[in-house]
Amino acid sequence: MRSFKRLAIIGNSLPRRCGIATFSCDLQQAMSTSYDQIETSIVAMTDNKQTYDYPAQVMAEIHDEVLPEYVAAAHQLNAGGYDVVSLQHEFGIFGGEAGSNIIALLLRLKMPIVTTLHTVLSEPTPAQRVVLQQIATVSARIVVMAEKGRELLQSVYGIPATKIDVVAHGIPDVAFSEPDAAKEKLGFAGKSVVLTFGLLSPNKGIEVMIDAMPAILQTCPNAVYVVLGATHPNLLRDEGEAYRESLKARAEAIGVGSKVVFLDQFVDQPILLDFISMCDVYVTPYLNEAQMTSGTLAYSFGLGKAVVSTPYWHARELLGDGRGCLVQFNAPPETADAIAQLLSDAPRRQAMRERAYASSRSMTWDQTAQKYFATFMDALRDQPAKPVASRAQSVVLASPGGPSINCAHLLAMCDDTGIVQHAVNSVPDRLHGYCVDDNARALILACGLWAAGEKGLPDPLVARFAAFVQHAWNVDLGRFRNFMGFSRTWLEDRGSEDSHGRTLWALGVCASSDKDQGRRDWAAALFPQALKVVESFTSPRAWAFTLLGLDSYCSVRPDDRGAVHLRTLLADRLIDLLALAEAPDWFWFEQGLSYDNARLSEALIRTGSATGSARYTDAGVRTLTWLMTRQTAAEGHFRPVGTEGFHDVRKRPRLFDQQPVEATATISACIAAWRVTGDSDWRDAAWRVFSWFTGNNDLGVPLIDETTGACLDGLHADRPNQNRGGKSAICLLISIVEMRELSQLEGRRPGTFEWRA
């Protein structure tokens, strides 16, 4: 186990106004105070092009929508020798759909990650589910602040209980005190004070308390309701103070305007503690049950206040057994009755205060720091060594992160037009020119390298691939051309349906994960134009490639109803094909097997995972399972469908010629199946298929030229094909990137990761 000397906390930071910022700074301060041998820093998330005067402990700043800053922060953390990273997660503070930008940072980190989840949704969107599961996969430990969080992580997200720790929200350690001195100090002497504090927003239920005030005043005429807190910055930016003014108007309308005091302040901790100290009853009338954590509740409870709250998850656990009073949601009469009883019954109120204070001593920040320290040490202790490689894997595990990446031959196959299709041995063959298929694949590779945190291809080259795709677009026909001669003359007006679908796939990937914002915008604009014709296509592979593109495109354009509709339509078509072709010994979409077979299964798996449709996911996994039986030799190694046997009706696949594109498609599909099912057999299958490149194949010869990164074009019955074309180089590199990502995920997870549809 490595030593523990440096800790980095990723989250919001004061002076940004929000609960995550307060928590991050409190945790940083508590760790520094309790463990002076540990140097602590914060990586601060900055929102909506705002600027903040961050304190010295902030070592880096990330603007939430600027993806390169996530990458830069990861490199800074790795270079800084940090031993543990503590991620403070809330969906709304990271950029990308469902906060997915943070994945770009986490995948690049070399140290264990401990993630604190400030929200755990019981009904996440497909994107939220995927993002949280990805975060859980790369995290050594997960921290939640309530037992309900542990329960949901297991039942909704499939995260094992052994990976989850429950650590209550930290609180300041202050003495139990009576409210009179603080009331005098703040100008509320002689009043019965009911308090709510926190950023003002509609989900806080302030209306309920205003409506309850007339009944409270009948019992306690000297009562006053103090609402302490600035308007939430997002609400303020969008609507100004319209919400606060509506609350004031509501109070005036029912005759309690003078009894409801709005203090538009975001106060520092000493002033906040004074306000909590002076209240007789603290109230959280929140409207949503799915509130996993409330820092305001924890603080008030920890200062020994009598608390009245609606039964959201955190309150239900914290205030049980007489430690507080729970009332129904949106129930002004019940709320009024509970508060009035406490205000008029001093002994009962005092007994509740004492129970709350006594039970909260385990939540003080020094106690919380000790619990986090134990979790950080567990993360360091439990982080597993890199997986022991099999004989076939060991050939290619040239670096700790997995197979090494060498783009030399790929670069040699490119010129100022794009990537050349074929090669004679290792020499680019200009005779056959170019195709959009290979340039689209190259664009997918370029985006994959960037998204995985690898050294990217030269940006002018990536721009060239995109320019080839743009030039291939025949706007008059709404179709992509495919083949171009070396003279830069198009050889056709339109390409095949499959090449059109593959180009859509590349555009979808580019729209979601290209490092260049301009190319992302270009791809997102061209994609829907090129999508229009796909509904008329009849090729199952064109459908599958389009579905793969839609998986990426819909992650950044979820409101494109046409795309969402077509995704369902194409997935249903594949399901219908399967129903027509299925037989007791044949579980496939067609009567024969041909090329890129596993992409059909992968398309359904990924579509099912993104949309939450178990029907698609199950069909994808089942067809892939059947396909793997057809692509596994008796000796156990991978044997792809040979080109000589393409379209043979219901026959065992012919052995040769075997091509890299089949291995690459199968690896992608196996990894997709592993992510969905959590079944380690799929992870092992991906490694086994990859070993086909390294010599675990029918001829026992490696296809990789480690010096240049070239890949042989395939296996004949008696010899390997010594040509090294552009498609083969791209396929090998795509598979290496995926295996390196898989290796990172394997090395970070102490148990099995289950990604359920």
Side-chain angles (χ1 to χ4, degrees):
M1 183 180 68
R2 70 185 73 169
S3 61
F4 185 12
K5 296 181 179 179
R6 304 197 79 189
L7 168 68
I9 299 168
I10 302 174
N12 299 345
S13 173
L14 297 173
R16 181 174 176 177
R17 297 180 172 185
C18 72
I20 303 291
T22 301
F23 185 93
S24 298
C25 291
D26 283 347
L27 178 60
Q28 185 270 331
Q29 182 62 41
M31 291 298 299
S32 296
T33 302
S34 299
Y35 301 96
D36 55 9
Q37 79 278 15
I38 299 176
E39 179 185 344
T40 59
S41 303
I42 295 176
V43 176
M45 300 302 307
T46 296
D47 58 321
N48 297 300
K49 301 179 181 178
Q50 302 298 307
T51 57
Y52 300 103
D53 184 15
Y54 286 122
Q57 61 262 30
V58 172
M59 50 84 70
E61 177 184 7
I62 300 173
H63 292 84
D64 55 7
E65 294 294 347
V66 183
L67 197 58
E69 292 187 3
Y70 290 84
V71 178
H75 293 321
Q76 189 172 347
L77 289 167
N78 289 334
Y82 286 89
D83 300 296
V84 178
V85 161
S86 173
L87 174 69
Q88 306 305 311
H89 180 267
E90 173 71 61
F91 284 110
I93 69 174
F94 305 111
E97 185 183 13
S100 58
N101 282 357
I102 191 61
I103 304 297
L105 187 158
L106 300 180
L107 282 175
R108 290 166 165 83
L109 295 180
K110 298 177 181 179
M111 70 291 292
I113 301 161
V114 173
T115 296
T116 299
L117 299 175
H118 291 258
T119 296
V120 183
L121 300 175
S122 60
E123 297 181 358
T125 66
Q128 289 169 334
R129 184 194 304 271
V130 168
V131 168
L132 192 144
Q133 288 170 327
Q134 288 178 317
I135 291 171
T137 299
V138 299
S139 299
R141 307 292 303 170
I142 301 292
V143 176
V144 290
M145 301 184 197
E147 286 294 337
K148 182 68 174 181
R150 191 206 300 267
E151 173 192 319
L152 290 175
L153 288 180
Q154 295 175 76
S155 62
V156 177
Y157 301 90
I159 298 170
T162 54
K163 194 172 190 174
I164 306 166
D165 294 326
V166 178
V167 180
H169 195 295
I171 59 173
D173 189 5
V174 297
F176 186 84
S177 62
E178 298 303 323
D180 295 341
K183 286 182 182 180
E184 184 74 31
K185 178 179 179 180
L186 296 171
F188 289 91
K191 303 291 185 181
S192 294
V193 179
V194 182
L195 174 69
T196 294
F197 78 85
L199 293 174
L200 194 64
S201 61
N203 63 330
K204 298 295 178 65
I206 306 301
E207 298 90 340
V208 176
M209 260 305 300
I210 292 174
D211 291 347
M213 280 303 293
I216 294 171
L217 291 168
Q218 289 179 8
T219 303
C220 305
N222 69 335
V224 62
Y225 178 41
V226 177
V227 183
L228 171 64
T231 301
H232 194 287
N234 294 343
L235 186 64
L236 186 64
R237 182 175 57 251
D238 296 339
E239 302 179 12
E241 291 290 3
Y243 179 62
R244 182 184 297 273
E245 293 304 317
S246 73
L247 293 176
K248 291 180 179 179
R250 188 185 193 112
E252 290 290 345
I254 63 174
V256 296
S258 63
K259 296 292 187 175
V260 181
V261 179
F262 289 91
L263 299 176
D264 184 5
Q265 304 173 41
F266 188 86
V267 298
D268 58 19
Q269 188 175 99
I271 297 176
L272 173 60
L273 296 181
D274 281 342
F275 271 98
I276 298 174
S277 294
M278 70 107 176
C279 80
D280 297 288
V281 174
Y282 185 78
V283 60
T284 56
Y286 298 167
L287 302 177
N288 183 7
E289 179 187 41
Q291 176 92 17
M292 188 58 63
T293 305
S294 170
T296 68
L297 173 65
Y299 270 41
S300 301
F301 183 78
L303 266 67
K305 295 288 116 178
V307 178
V308 173
S309 176
T310 50
Y312 55 90
W313 290 332
H314 189 197
R316 197 180 304 165
E317 291 188 20
L318 199 63
L319 303 180
D321 298 328
R323 295 185 296 268
C325 182
L326 297 176
V327 296
Q328 291 303 308
F329 294 103
N330 199 21
E334 185 180 352
T335 303
D337 184 60
I339 293 173
Q341 286 188 35
L342 283 171
L343 291 178
S344 60
D345 189 344
R348 177 171 175 246
R349 186 173 69 247
Q350 189 71 4
M352 184 179 291
R353 293 186 59 208
E354 291 173 358
R355 281 193 295 271
Y357 188 81
S359 64
S360 69
R361 293 310 84 201
S362 62
M363 297 165 53
T364 59
W365 272 114
D366 62 329
Q367 295 291 316
T368 300
Q370 292 180 37
K371 293 169 185 174
Y372 267 94
F373 180 80
T375 293
F376 296 147
M377 293 300 290
D378 286 343
L380 286 164
R381 184 182 304 110
D382 295 342
Q383 184 177 33
K386 298 299 180 184
V388 177
S390 67
R391 178 184 63 82
Q393 292 175 29
S394 64
V395 176
V396 294
L397 289 178
S399 70
S404 60
I405 295 174
N406 185 344
C407 296
H409 181 68
L410 175 73
L411 298 177
M413 290 295 295
C414 298
D415 61 16
D416 61 355
T417 299
I419 185 166
V420 176
Q421 284 191 76
H422 299 298
V424 178
N425 204 293
S426 62
V427 178
D429 183 6
R430 295 176 173 177
L431 178 65
H432 297 285
Y434 318 88
C435 66
V436 78
D437 270 334
D438 288 346
N439 282 273
R441 287 187 179 98
L443 187 56
I444 291 172
L445 168 65
C447 295
L449 284 165
W450 166 254
E454 304 288 355
K455 181 180 179 181
L457 296 175
D459 198 65
L461 180 59
V462 182
R464 215 168 296 151
F465 299 147
F468 192 100
V469 170
Q470 176 62 44
H471 190 41
W473 175 238
N474 186 334
V475 66
D476 293 330
L477 298 179
R479 292 287 295 272
F480 290 103
R481 305 173 180 92
N482 191 15
F483 295 110
M484 173 189 279
F486 183 71
S487 63
R488 289 189 177 180
T489 301
W490 288 109
L491 305 180
E492 55 189 2
D493 290 330
R494 74 182 76 187
S496 66
E497 291 183 1
D498 291 4
S499 68
H500 190 101
R502 188 175 288 107
T503 309
L504 276 168
W505 178 10
L507 287 172
V509 171
C510 183
S512 68
S513 56
D514 195 298
K515 72 174 181 178
D516 181 80
Q517 182 65 52
R519 282 196 297 270
R520 293 201 300 273
D521 293 342
W522 158 77
L526 182 54
F527 186 97
Q529 297 180 54
L531 190 65
K532 296 175 183 177
V533 72
V534 174
E535 187 169 350
S536 66
F537 284 0
T538 59
S539 165
R541 277 158 191 76
W543 301 342
F545 299 150
T546 302
L547 283 170
L548 294 172
L550 283 164
D551 185 58
S552 297
Y553 174 80
C554 288
S555 71
V556 294
R557 294 291 190 273
D559 296 327
D560 187 332
R561 294 183 179 179
V564 171
H565 167 74
L566 189 61
R567 177 156 67 170
T568 300
L569 177 68
L570 297 181
D572 285 344
R573 285 183 180 179
L574 287 176
I575 295 291
D576 291 342
L577 274 187
L578 182 61
L580 289 172
E582 182 180 356
D585 62 342
W586 189 266
F587 194 70
W588 194 244
F589 306 90
E590 305 163 293
Q591 297 297 322
L593 295 167
S594 58
Y595 69 96
D596 258 342
N597 296 292
R599 295 297 184 190
L600 279 70
S601 300
E602 181 193 3
L604 281 180
I605 292 170
R606 288 174 58 178
T607 301
S609 178
T611 63
S613 171
R615 186 167 71 106
Y616 299 154
T617 305
D618 292 346
V621 172
R622 289 176 63 207
T623 52
L624 183 61
T625 301
W626 179 88
L627 180 64
M628 290 302 290
T629 66
R630 296 280 173 141
Q631 294 188 134
T632 301
E635 298 83 2
H637 60 262
F638 177 69
R639 176 184 287 162
V641 177
T643 59
E644 294 174 349
F646 280 3
H647 306 296
D648 280 356
V649 176
R650 299 204 178 209
K651 291 184 178 179
R652 295 293 303 184
R654 304 273 186 101
L655 270 62
F656 300 100
D657 294 337
Q658 299 177 17
Q659 297 190 350
V661 66
E662 304 304 324
T664 295
T666 308
I667 288 167
S668 297
C670 288
I671 293 174
W674 172 67
R675 284 174 162 163
V676 167
T677 66
D679 187 341
S680 61
D681 286 348
W682 287 117
R683 176 197 62 207
D684 297 339
W687 278 113
R688 186 170 66 253
V689 176
F690 186 82
S691 71
W692 178 86
F693 287 105
T694 67
N696 190 17
N697 53 50
D698 282 310
L699 300 187
V701 297
L703 283 78
I704 302 174
D705 182 338
E706 294 186 3
T707 303
T708 66
C711 179
L712 303 185
D713 278 350
L715 297 177
H716 299 304
D718 57 346
R719 70 193 188 284
N721 184 337
Q722 292 296 331
N723 295 331
R724 300 160 171 85
K727 177 171 67 176
S728 300
I730 295 168
C731 286
L732 171 64
L733 287 167
I734 287 174
S735 291
I736 288 176
V737 171
E738 290 192 320
M739 298 313 296
R740 287 174 65 86
E741 285 187 290
L742 178 60
S743 184
Q744 290 179 37
L745 294 178
E746 288 177 312
R748 290 221 177 95
R749 89 185 182 291
T752 299
F753 166 53
E754 185 176 357
W755 186 353
R756 295 175 179 169

